[in-house]
Amino acid sequence: MLDPALTSWRAHYERLQRSFERISRPYQSSVEYGDDLHHFFQDCFHLKDWVKNDSASGGAAQIEAEFQSERPLRIAADLANAAKHLARTQHREGAYVTSTNVTVHLGQNKPTDIEFIVTLADGTSCVAQQVAKDAMASWASVLARLRMKP
């Protein structure tokens, strides 16, 4: 990977945007979608570390508190850690993907409908794609509050 002097938090933010674009497109395979979804949540969670470790970011001191103030980012962090480690020792929202709904449109020229259902510790559930959209909006808010322009 690149030497830290050759990259920045913005490079990782752009990587996050590309990950989001990938999971927003139509898929034919729930396996490929699941892989890309895992990568998205890992990229989403790790942007915090990139901001924290980039001395030119200007947001290193406040990023942890700003990140923790956004529920979609806490959910993304849980999903990233579950994807990376399977089992977790830290639970922010207790989020896990607990089921997948796949609808194949036989004989139709339509992409497969794929939903990964996320269940939280409080018993509520949501769709991973919506969590991803909300996390992107949360990042936009965090970066704006820190006066960081992507």
Side-chain angles (χ1 to χ4, degrees), residues 2 13 17 19 26 28 66 68-69 72-73 84 89 95 106 111 118 123 137 139 142 150:
L2 291 175
Y13 182 75
Q17 289 179 307
S19 287
Q28 294 298 326
E66 289 292 337
Q68 293 302 330
S69 74
L73 297 180
K84 184 176 177 185
T89 56
L106 298 175
V118 176
W139 268 121
V142 166

Side-chain angles (χ1 to χ4, degrees), residues 37 72 101 122:
L37 194 62
N101 298 326
D122 66 7

Side-chain angles (χ1 to χ4, degrees), residues 95-137:
Y96 278 103
V97 172
T98 53
S99 64
T100 307
N101 298 326
V102 178
T103 303
V104 178
H105 304 279
L106 298 175
Q108 300 176 28
N109 193 16
K110 289 177 66 179
T112 302
D113 295 328
I114 306 164
E115 289 184 331
F116 280 57
I117 306 302
V118 176
T119 302
L120 306 176
D122 66 7
T124 61
S125 62
C126 50
V127 178
Q129 182 66 28
Q130 187 61 51
V131 173
K133 287 179 187 175
D134 294 346
M136 290 300 290

Side-chain angles (χ1 to χ4, degrees), residues 41 44 67 69-79 93 130-138:
F41 285 118
C44 186
F67 183 90
S69 74
E70 296 284 337
R71 188 170 196 221
L73 297 180
R74 295 191 310 268
I75 295 170
D78 279 351
L79 296 174
E93 296 292 328
Q130 187 61 51
V131 173
K133 287 179 187 175
D134 294 346
M136 290 300 290
S138 288

Side-chain angles (χ1 to χ4, degrees), residues 11-29:
H12 191 77
Y13 182 75
E14 291 168 3
R15 190 167 24 260
L16 172 61
Q17 289 179 307
R18 290 189 300 274
S19 287
F20 182 70
E21 288 169 10
R22 273 192 298 280
I23 65 167
S24 298
R25 71 172 196 239
Y27 277 82
Q28 294 298 326
S29 166

Side-chain angles (χ1 to χ4, degrees), residues 12 41-51 80 84 139:
H12 191 77
F41 285 118
Q42 289 172 354
D43 288 343
C44 186
F45 178 43
H46 291 134
L47 180 57
K48 173 178 64 82
D49 293 329
W50 281 73
V51 170
K84 184 176 177 185
W139 268 121

